[in-house]
Amino acid sequence: MPMGRHRKRDKHLPALVSLERGTYYFRSGKSPRVNLGRDFADAMRRYGALVAPAPMATMVGVIDRYK
């Protein structure tokens, strides 16, 4: 799999998040970018909600379903 280039700025951001004109955006593949907001803390909270694993993707979810 080809690798992209490394970031030269904004290295503190996760891989799919970019900072453009003071606003944080999430880009995933070919889907349109998602505006995460202007505040870093709120943007990271929204990012976490977007990339959170599905309930069945964790062992706790599997065990709860089994019970």
Side-chain angles (χ1 to χ4, degrees):
M1 184 167 142
M3 293 179 52
R5 64 178 185 213
H6 294 284
R7 290 182 191 246
K8 292 186 179 189
R9 59 188 172 127
D10 300 325
K11 292 183 179 184
H12 65 286
L13 296 176
L16 300 174
V17 176
S18 63
L19 177 62
E20 300 173 17
R21 297 184 185 132
T23 304
Y24 296 95
Y25 292 99
F26 173 72
R27 295 177 192 248
S28 178
K30 295 187 180 196
S31 62
R33 66 184 183 176
V34 177
N35 184 342
L36 298 176
R38 296 177 83 70
D39 183 50
F40 179 73
D42 289 337
M44 293 299 103
R45 181 178 44 79
R46 290 182 183 133
Y47 168 74
L50 287 172
V51 297
M56 294 307 296
T58 63
M59 197 61 179
V60 174
V62 173
I63 291 170
D64 286 343
R65 182 177 178 199
Y66 179 75
K67 287 181 181 180

